[in-house]
Amino acid sequence: ARLAAVSPAMLWYLDGRVNRVTKSGEKPNENYARELLELHTLGVHGGYTQTDVMEVARCLTGWTVRDRKRFFKGRVEFNARQHDDGPKRVLGQDIPAGLGAHDLDRVLEILVAHPQAARYVAWKLCRRFIADEPPADAVRATAEAFARSGGDIPATLRALFATPEFLSPAVRGEKFKRPFHFVVSALRATNAETDASKQLVDYLVRLGHAPFRYATPDGYPEEATHWQSTLLWRWNFATALAANRIKGTKIAAEDLRMRLGGDEGLMSTLLGRRASVAERLAYQESGSGLALLVAAPAFQRC
């Protein structure tokens, strides 16, 4: 959490670099403070108030990042003269005056220890790795691990991956891949060589998942319903990829097929299981079996 808070990208994107208090009565910039509470730790209905937002913003004053007009562009710095070093109160807990840059650490300690943070982070992780509507028992077990470990993400993920819900065969292959995941997994599964050319990135634009283009800080949606209208462009991408029609990207299709042990191995690798009778027939009759596999419903999910 601290690495994100003092990341040059975060300080620039959410105006942390201009969050400063240099004179009495000056109000801090609350952009990152609000998103820290709303998106990263507690959630929209996490129990915080506007006063909490402003108090967190005060704690975060003074952090900045050098712009291109100065030496060491991009360096993150703490400017004590631009920090509100007075006493603060966040989520019912007092933060004494005089902590300086350590106000940030104290805020993060308070947030990580909050019960709602465990529930919210666990819900987001279970939504990402299990289902768009994550099962309550898995969320509960994951939240307990988060709280027990003091917010340690590896320990939290180990608990999630050990839940019966994550290991259930019914869950396997049910998460719909977002376009970036779909494109990257197709490149990996086909052992493609690529220079990530503009033409390849243009497919992500067509699929609605262009890097760094989402307008709001909550990021691209996770839910499948948002992405299912782009299936035609997924099929177009699969056809172009298999036919080596994407500039800067190349697949050695026959070599891949032989390395995987023939058609059966190729089908099993891309589908993640043995192909059904109908899938084998479609593969043989399609005229472009590799494109069909990348466009297949089974490859759209993980």
Side-chain angles (χ1 to χ4, degrees), residues 43-72:
V44 177
H45 305 295
Y48 62 88
T49 66
Q50 175 61 22
T51 299
D52 290 315
V53 173
M54 296 307 296
E55 291 291 273
V56 171
R58 290 178 61 210
C59 291
L60 301 178
T61 52
W63 290 96
T64 190
V65 57
R66 292 192 177 200
D67 61 22
R68 61 186 178 183
K69 298 178 182 178
R70 303 173 63 193
F71 290 117
F72 305 110

Side-chain angles (χ1 to χ4, degrees), residues 46-119:
Y48 62 88
T49 66
Q50 175 61 22
T51 299
D52 290 315
V53 173
M54 296 307 296
E55 291 291 273
V56 171
R58 290 178 61 210
C59 291
L60 301 178
T61 52
W63 290 96
T64 190
V65 57
R66 292 192 177 200
D67 61 22
R68 61 186 178 183
K69 298 178 182 178
R70 303 173 63 193
F71 290 117
F72 305 110
K73 179 177 68 176
R75 175 182 286 181
V76 173
E77 300 172 321
F78 178 76
N79 189 331
R81 290 176 298 179
Q82 297 178 349
H83 178 65
D84 182 341
D85 214 16
K88 306 164 186 81
R89 187 172 177 82
V90 174
L91 296 169
Q93 298 197 43
D94 292 320
I95 298 177
L99 293 184
H102 294 293
D103 275 353
L104 167 61
D105 301 303
R106 186 69 190 108
V107 163
L108 296 178
E109 289 170 359
I110 291 170
L111 292 176
V112 168
H114 197 286
Q116 177 58 19
R119 290 190 290 267

